[in-house]
Every structure is written in C-alpha cells, then in structure tokens.
Amino acid sequence: MMMKTKILLLLVTLTGSVVHAQTFDKQGDRGARGLMPENTIAGMLRALDLGATTLGMNVVISKDNQVVLSHEPYFNNEISLTPAGKPIPLKQEQSYNMYKMDYTEIKKFDVGSKVHKRFPGQQKFKAYKPLLSEVIDSVEAYVKLHKLTKPDYGIEIKTVRKGDLVFHPEPAEFSQLVMDVVEAKKMSRRTIIQAFDIRSLQYVHEKYPKIRTALMIDEKEDFENNIRDLGFNPTVYSPYSVLVGKGLVDRCHAAGIKIIPWTVNSLKDMEYMVGLGVDGIITDYPNLFMRLELPKKK
C-alpha cells in the first residue's frame, strides 16, 4: 500500500495533476456515426471493434418512461423513415415526438436505411432506436464474447431549449430515469454523465456525487464562468473543438479537470488536439484512432 501511494504521488509530481496520468480517452460519437447509423447497437459494437475506450451516446425519454438512444427527442428527418418506410419531411419532424410515444411505437421506425447526406459513407441497414438497457446488455455480452477491454459509457442527457414537459421530463426526473438504468446494470463506475444542460449535471452531482460528469460546451464563453454557473468541478470539460486552444487546456488542467473536445473528424485535427495536451477526443470516425500516434507515457 505504501508503494502504491508513493507511485501515485510521483505521478502527481511529474505531471502536476492526476489528470495526465490517466489513459487517453478515445470516444466514438453516437457509436461510430461516420461509419454506421448513429445511436444503434451495431454502431456501438463497431466502435468497440475499432478500439474506442468510451461509447458516446445520447438518450431521450419515451411516453412510458423508457430511456431510449437518440440525439433528438423526435425523429430526425435526416436519418428516419416511418414504420411504412416513408421519409419524414423536415417541417414535420418535431411532430414525431418520442416523448408522446410508447417505446413499442418508437421501435417500429427505421433509423438505419436512409442515406445520410452528411455521412454518405455510413453502412446502411434497417435499424431501430434501442433502449439504453439493451445497449448495455449487448455491449457487455459482445465484450465478453470477443475478450475486449470493457468500455466506459458516455451517456448524454439530451434536453432541448424550452423542451421541459414538451419533449422530455424536467431534468431531475430525466436524470433519475437514466441513473435508474445505470444502477440497475451496475455500471456506475464505468459511466460518465454528459450534458449541455447544467441542471441535469447538478442533479446527478448532488444525488450521485461519485458519478463522473462532463460539461459539454458549444458556445464561446469563459471556462471560469461556465464552471461557476455549474457550481462544481466536473470530471470533464467537453467543448466544441473549434473553441479549444492551449490556454483552455492549461486552465482545465490547473483546475484538475480533464478536457475532451468534440467532434474531431480528421486525423490532422486529432493530431493538433493531441499536441495541445487534451485528455481524449470525441469523433464520428473512431477508425482514425488506429492511425493516431499518442505521446508515450513518461
């Protein structure tokens, strides 16, 4: 025990923070969105095969309080087909509100067959929006079968502006429904709860102080102001990659907070981020991690 303590202290001394002693986080966004339909079981398994250490996913809530993988609380016209196989017009997509549908109805929509204009290289096949519990079960079984390293689950609680009780429950209820699944599956130690909405993170931090949290940022605002508004230091500060510079990386590390930018989709940009000293990368193309050279541990 004394030797382990000395080693930990040495790591802190050499790096200035335990943050730097951790493994670089290779996170597949929505599974492997650039390669497979987003937020699907097949996409998550593909990310695992490509060496992702964290499976990034978004969750919403159905009418019958099921936690469902989806980036929007409605059926996005870019990726969705109705149960009859028809496309959903952009102007009508929000009328396909999953918070007003039971999961049995949600599961009938196809979110894997339509060609994605922004990700034309996606493999196409019929797919549905799975339950968070089903995703965890599938991933854990796959990892065991193929003797892979167990991944972390980066679960983003996906609220929308002025969406409370319209597109999703209020943040406290929403967050609790997610945590009920995490705890039932005994995945607390391997879960990081992510959100742009600070209300969700504040609830989780208060009720589950040991759960790791990630504050996601998409607007240019001072790091210190964002942390002050949140009210505590999250495990991770996760800004849009164009907002990241050496100064921000240094301020995060000085506060003992990891910085993991999103969404970094070229090898050149990944190499730039690594050079800045980030602690991980979120990408739609986890296959790029195989070509990314990371600094060797000192």
Side-chain angles (χ1 to χ4, degrees):
M1 183 63 70
M2 183 66 71
M3 180 60 70
K4 289 183 178 180
T5 302
K6 288 182 178 180
I7 292 173
L8 180 58
L9 288 173
L10 177 60
L11 285 170
V12 174
T13 301
L14 290 173
T15 65
S17 170
V18 178
V19 166
H20 292 86
Q22 306 300 317
T23 302
F24 190 86
D25 191 7
K26 303 172 184 177
Q27 188 167 152
D29 185 38
R30 311 184 200 183
R33 181 166 66 145
L35 310 171
M36 304 286 282
E38 65 181 64
N39 284 315
T40 59
I41 291 173
M44 297 298 160
L45 301 186
R46 180 63 174 146
L48 279 176
D49 287 337
L50 294 170
T53 55
T54 296
L55 300 177
M57 58 195 72
N58 319 102
V59 294
V60 301
I61 304 299
S62 66
K63 181 180 178 181
D64 52 343
N65 284 336
Q66 299 298 304
V67 184
V68 183
L69 260 64
S70 180
H71 187 263
E72 295 84 17
Y74 48 82
F75 281 95
N76 185 328
N77 80 98
E78 285 188 302
I79 65 171
S80 306
L81 298 174
T82 68
K86 296 181 179 180
I88 295 173
L90 174 61
K91 292 183 179 180
Q92 296 179 19
E93 65 179 8
Q94 292 192 17
S95 67
Y96 291 85
N97 181 356
M98 283 180 271
Y99 189 47
K100 306 299 181 183
M101 301 180 188
D102 286 340
Y103 180 64
T104 53
E105 183 179 358
I106 291 170
K107 193 173 181 179
K108 295 176 182 178
F109 286 72
D110 179 4
V111 292
S113 298
K114 187 176 181 180
V115 174
H116 198 309
K117 292 181 180 179
R118 291 184 290 119
F119 298 95
Q122 276 187 352
Q123 185 177 339
K124 306 313 300 177
F125 50 86
K126 192 170 184 179
Y128 61 90
K129 291 183 180 290
L131 295 174
L132 173 60
S133 57
E134 182 185 9
V135 170
I136 293 173
D137 287 345
S138 298
V139 168
E140 295 303 304
Y142 191 82
V143 164
K144 183 176 181 179
L145 177 64
H146 296 279
K147 297 180 173 59
L148 300 174
T149 301
K150 293 179 180 179
D152 283 349
Y153 294 89
I155 303 173
E156 182 187 348
I157 295 175
K158 200 70 186 177
T159 58
V160 295
R161 191 180 301 274
K162 297 182 180 180
D164 291 3
L165 303 180
V166 177
F167 287 107
H168 48 72
E170 292 182 339
E173 181 183 355
F174 194 157
S175 302
Q176 188 59 59
L177 288 168
V178 174
M179 287 306 305
D180 285 347
V181 175
V182 170
E183 293 218 305
K185 296 299 178 182
K186 299 180 180 179
M187 287 295 152
S188 296
R189 291 186 178 181
R190 287 166 48 204
T191 292
I192 180 165
I193 298 295
Q194 307 173 340
F196 289 94
D197 191 334
I198 63 173
R199 300 175 300 169
S200 299
L201 297 181
Q202 288 167 339
Y203 177 87
V204 170
H205 181 68
E206 179 183 355
K207 299 294 183 180
Y208 303 91
K210 293 183 180 180
I211 287 285
R212 291 173 291 159
T213 53
L215 175 60
M216 307 195 77
I217 298 294
D218 60 1
E219 297 179 356
K220 189 172 183 179
E221 179 59 75
D222 286 342
F223 165 74
E224 290 78 11
N225 290 343
N226 287 327
I227 299 302
R228 183 196 64 229
D229 292 343
L230 181 62
F232 66 93
N233 280 14
T235 313
V236 174
Y237 192 74
S238 189
Y240 183 28
S241 58
V242 299
L243 303 176
V244 178
K246 189 64 168 65
L248 179 57
V249 172
D250 290 345
R251 291 203 300 278
C252 286
H253 288 165
I257 299 172
K258 293 183 182 182
I259 179 168
I260 301 178
W262 58 272
T263 305
V264 188
N265 281 345
S266 75
L267 182 60
K268 181 179 179 181
D269 289 340
M270 284 186 174
E271 290 170 342
Y272 175 71
M273 290 293 160
V274 169
L276 293 178
V278 300
D279 301 286
I281 285 173
I282 299 171
T283 182
D284 294 317
Y285 296 95
N287 55 307
L288 293 176
F289 287 132
M290 295 179 175
R291 299 162 55 194
L292 181 64
E293 290 188 16
L294 299 173
K296 293 182 179 180
K297 295 181 180 180
K298 295 181 180 180

